[in-house]
C-alpha cells in the first residue's frame, strides 16, 4: 500500500513538472512571437499624419512637423524623465510621444522649427548628456550622428536644457529649466556623461547613474519597469511604464512606405515668398491710400460753399484796376458823415446796443454800419 502511494505521488509530481514545462515553453513561444512582430515606416506615416504634416526634405526624405504651440522643443516640452531598465527614459504627455522621442532624430529648421526624421532603432531617448557641479543637462542628437565615447558632436548652446541637481527627476520639470542665457557658462564648466548602453546591438546614452542622482538630489530615485504595449501609446503606473516599441522596418514586405499627403519643401518655400511678397504689396497699396486721405481733407474744405460776402465789398473784389478802386474810396469817404461825440449817458448804453446788434445776422449789421 505504501509502495502504491509512493508511485502515485511520483506520477503526480511528474505530471506537474510536465505541465510547468509546457507552460514555460508556451510562454517563451509567445514572447518570441511578440518580439518578431514588426511594423514599417507606414505606421509612422499613417499614425502621425493626424498630429502634424509630412514634408519632403532633400537631405532626409520624409520628415514630420508636429502641430504644437510656439516654443516647442524635443525632450523639453510637455514631458519628464524616469529611470527604467534602459536608463533615463523620456515620458511624453503627447499622445504621439511613443514614436518621435524613441525612434529617429530631431533637427531644427529656421522656417518650420523642429522636424523629426524617422528611423528604425529604439532608445529611451536620443539625447546627449552633460553634468556641471550643480546642474544636469541634455540636448537632442541630430540625424546621422553616431554614438561613441569621446565623440566631438557639438550642439548649439540654445538647444541645451539644464536644471539644478535637486530638480532633476521632477514630474513638472519644465517649471525648473535654467534660462538659456546661462547655457554658455554652464557648458564651459561641464563634462560629457559617457554612460553608453547597448540594446539589440545599438548604442545610446543612458544618462547619469542612479547613485549619482540620489547622492546629488538627496532623494531616492524610483526605478520603473518597462512593459511593451500592443498598440501605439504609452501609460505610466506606480511601478511600470507601458510603451509601444515594436521592431520597425523601412519597407513593408518589399513595398515602399510613403505618407498619404506630403508637403513639398520647395513649394512651401515658394508659398512663404508669395506670402511675404503679398504682404509687402498690401502695405504698398495702403500707403498711397493713407496719403490720399490726407490730401483729400483740404480739398473737401475748399469745396465747401463759400460764405456770402457783403454787398459793399463785392465791387472791390471784382475790380482789378487800382486807380478806379482808389477813386471809389475817395468818393465814398466824402459822402460819409463825420463822427459825432455822444453824451456820457449814451456811451454807457453802447455796450448793450452792441450786444443787441451782435445777435442780429451779419448781413443786416453791415447794411446799417458800412464801417
Amino acid at each position: 500500500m505504501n509502495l502504491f502511494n509512493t508511485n502515485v505521488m511520483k506520477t503526480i509530481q511528474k505530471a506537474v513538472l510536465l505541465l510547468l514545462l509546457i507552460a514555460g515553453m508556451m510562454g517563451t513561444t509567445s514572447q518570441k512571437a511578440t518580439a518578431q512582430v514588426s511594423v514599417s515606416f507606414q505606421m509612422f506615416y499613417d499614425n502621425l499624419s493626424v498630429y502634424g504634416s509630412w514634408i519632403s526634405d532633400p537631405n532626409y526624405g520624409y520628415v514630420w512637423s508636429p502641430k504644437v504651440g510656439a516654443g516647442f522643443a524635443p525632450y523639453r516640452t510637455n514631458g519628464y524623465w524616469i529611470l527604467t531598465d534602459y536608463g533615463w527614459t523620456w515620458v511624453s504627455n503627447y499622445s504621439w510621444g511613443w514614436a518621435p522621442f524613441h525612434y529617429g532624430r530631431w533637427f531644427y529648421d529656421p522656417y518650420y522649427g523642429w522636424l523629426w526624421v524617422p528611423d528604425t532603432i529604439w532608445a529611451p531617448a536620443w539625447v546627449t548628456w552633460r553634468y556641471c557641479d550643480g546642474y544636469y543637462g541634455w540636448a537632442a542628437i541630430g540625424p546621422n550622428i553616431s554614438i561613441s565615447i569621446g565623440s566631438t558632436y557639438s550642439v548649439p548652446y540654445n538647444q541645451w536644457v539644464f536644471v539644478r541637481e535637486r530638480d532633476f527627476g521632477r514630474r513638472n520639470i519644465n517649471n525648473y529649466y535654467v534660462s538659456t542665457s546661462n547655457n554658455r557658462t554652464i557648458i564651459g564648466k561641464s563634462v560629457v556623461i559617457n554612460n553608453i548602453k547597448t540594446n539589440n546591438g545599438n548604442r545610446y546614452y543612458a544618462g547619469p547613474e542612479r547613485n549619482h542622482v540620489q547622492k546629488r538630489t538627496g532623494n531616492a530615485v524610483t526605478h520603473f519597469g518597462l512593459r511593451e504595449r500592443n498598440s501605439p501609446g504609452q501609460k505610466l503606473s506606480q511601478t511600470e511604464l507601458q510603451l509601444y516599441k515594436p521592431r520597425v522596418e523601412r519597407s513593408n514586405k518589399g513595398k515602399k512606405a510613403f505618407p498619404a499627403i506630403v508637403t513639398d519643401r520647395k513649394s512651401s518655400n515658394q508659398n512663404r515668398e508669395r506670402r511675404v511678397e503679398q504682404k509687402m504689396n498690401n502695405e504698398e497699396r495702403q500707403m498711397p491710400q493713407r496719403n490720399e486721405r490726407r490730401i483729400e481733407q483740404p480739398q473737401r474744405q475748399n469745396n465747401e460753399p463759400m460764405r456770402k460776402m457783403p454787398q459793399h465789398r463785392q465791387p472791390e473784389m471784382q475790380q482789378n484796376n487800382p486807380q478806379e478802386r482808389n477813386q471809389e474810396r475817395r468818393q465814398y469817404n466824402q459822402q460819409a458823415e463825420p463822427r459825432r461825440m455822444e453824451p456820457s449817458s449814451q456811451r454807457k448804453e453802447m455796450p448793450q446796443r452792441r450786444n443787441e446788434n451782435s445777435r442780429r445776422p451779419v448781413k443786416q449789421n453791415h447794411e446799417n454800419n458800412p464801417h
Side-chain angles (χ1 to χ4, degrees):
M1 187 67 180
N2 293 334
L3 181 62
F4 177 77
N5 292 334
T6 302
N7 293 333
V8 171
M9 292 296 295
K10 290 182 178 180
T11 303
I12 293 174
Q13 290 177 356
K14 290 180 180 180
V16 171
L17 292 175
L18 181 61
L19 291 174
L20 292 174
L21 180 62
I22 294 173
M25 293 177 62
M26 292 179 63
T28 304
T29 304
S30 176
Q31 289 179 359
K32 290 183 179 180
T34 303
Q36 290 177 355
V37 173
S38 63
V39 298
S40 67
F41 270 18
Q42 197 65 46
M43 167 66 73
F44 293 150
Y45 297 148
D46 296 341
N47 192 273
L48 298 180
S49 61
V50 182
Y51 306 102
S53 57
W54 289 96
I55 302 169
S56 179
D57 185 84
N59 298 322
Y60 305 113
Y62 298 130
V63 296
W64 183 67
S65 175
K67 295 179 182 178
V68 289
F72 167 82
Y75 309 106
R76 179 187 180 98
T77 307
N78 204 17
Y80 53 93
W81 295 102
I82 64 170
L83 186 63
T84 65
D85 298 332
Y86 298 89
W88 288 98
T89 305
W90 182 257
V91 179
S92 174
N93 294 324
Y94 293 111
S95 58
W96 44 264
W98 63 272
F101 299 117
H102 302 286
Y103 297 91
R105 310 289 180 84
W106 290 85
F107 72 97
Y108 186 80
D109 181 83
Y111 176 64
Y112 291 100
W114 286 97
L115 297 175
W116 178 65
V117 183
D119 199 2
T120 60
I121 304 173
W122 185 92
W126 290 105
V127 297
T128 180
W129 294 85
R130 279 185 173 273
Y131 173 75
C132 174
D133 188 15
Y135 300 92
Y136 288 112
W138 61 91
I141 302 176
N144 302 328
I145 302 300
S146 61
I147 307 299
S148 60
I149 297 177
S151 61
T152 58
Y153 173 62
S154 178
V155 180
Y157 289 100
N158 60 346
Q159 294 183 11
W160 280 92
V161 184
F162 284 96
V163 294
R164 298 185 181 276
E165 293 173 334
R166 62 176 181 269
D167 299 324
F168 184 71
R170 292 177 180 268
R171 296 291 179 90
N172 58 341
I173 195 172
N174 60 298
N175 296 328
Y176 298 91
Y177 293 149
V178 178
S179 175
T180 54
S181 61
N182 300 323
N183 284 5
R184 187 180 296 270
T185 303
I186 297 175
I187 292 173
K189 299 178 181 180
S190 64
V191 294
V192 177
I193 302 177
N194 285 315
N195 183 16
I196 297 178
K197 289 189 176 183
T198 303
N199 179 34
N200 295 329
N202 302 309
R203 294 182 296 181
Y204 61 89
Y205 294 112
E209 294 288 348
R210 181 181 185 182
N211 294 333
H212 189 275
V213 176
Q214 290 182 151
K215 182 178 179 180
R216 293 295 176 176
T217 60
N219 300 320
V221 176
T222 304
H223 183 275
F224 293 85
L226 198 150
R227 181 181 177 185
E228 296 186 24
R229 285 171 57 104
N230 297 325
S231 59
Q234 67 267 335
K235 182 180 179 181
L236 181 65
S237 65
Q238 295 181 355
T239 58
E240 68 177 8
L241 172 65
Q242 298 180 11
L243 184 67
Y244 185 58
K245 51 184 296 291
R247 187 177 65 186
V248 180
E249 298 179 357
R250 293 186 178 274
S251 60
N252 184 13
K253 297 180 181 180
K255 296 181 180 180
K256 186 177 180 180
F258 56 88
I261 300 176
V262 180
T263 302
D264 188 8
R265 191 179 183 85
K266 295 181 179 180
S267 62
S268 62
N269 291 337
Q270 292 176 358
N271 293 334
R272 181 191 179 189
E273 294 177 357
R274 291 176 185 175
R275 288 194 296 268
V276 173
E277 184 178 358
Q278 185 177 3
K279 183 179 179 180
M280 294 177 64
N281 293 335
N282 293 336
E283 292 178 354
E284 291 178 357
R285 292 174 184 175
Q286 292 177 0
M287 290 299 295
Q289 292 178 2
R290 295 174 183 174
N291 294 335
E292 289 175 1
R293 291 175 182 175
R294 294 177 183 176
I295 295 172
E296 287 175 358
Q297 290 180 359
Q299 292 179 358
R300 293 175 182 174
Q301 293 178 0
N302 294 335
N303 294 332
E304 292 180 357
M306 297 180 63
R307 296 180 180 178
K308 188 175 181 181
M309 298 294 294
Q311 294 181 358
H312 70 279
R313 292 188 179 181
Q314 288 182 2
E316 294 180 5
M317 299 295 293
Q318 295 175 359
Q319 290 176 357
N320 296 325
N321 192 346
Q323 296 180 357
E324 295 179 357
R325 198 179 305 158
N326 293 334
Q327 185 178 359
E328 185 179 352
R329 287 178 179 175
R330 292 169 186 169
Q331 294 177 0
Y332 183 79
N333 293 332
Q334 292 176 0
Q335 295 176 2
E337 296 181 356
R339 289 187 178 182
R340 298 178 181 179
M341 297 299 293
E342 297 178 356
S344 59
S345 60
Q346 293 182 359
R347 290 179 188 175
K348 295 180 180 180
E349 296 178 356
M350 284 302 292
Q352 297 180 358
R353 290 181 182 180
R354 290 178 181 176
N355 293 335
E356 292 176 358
N357 294 335
S358 61
R359 299 177 182 175
R360 297 179 183 178
V362 177
K363 183 176 179 181
Q364 295 178 4
N365 192 8
H366 283 292
E367 290 178 354
N368 295 334
N369 187 7
H371 294 284

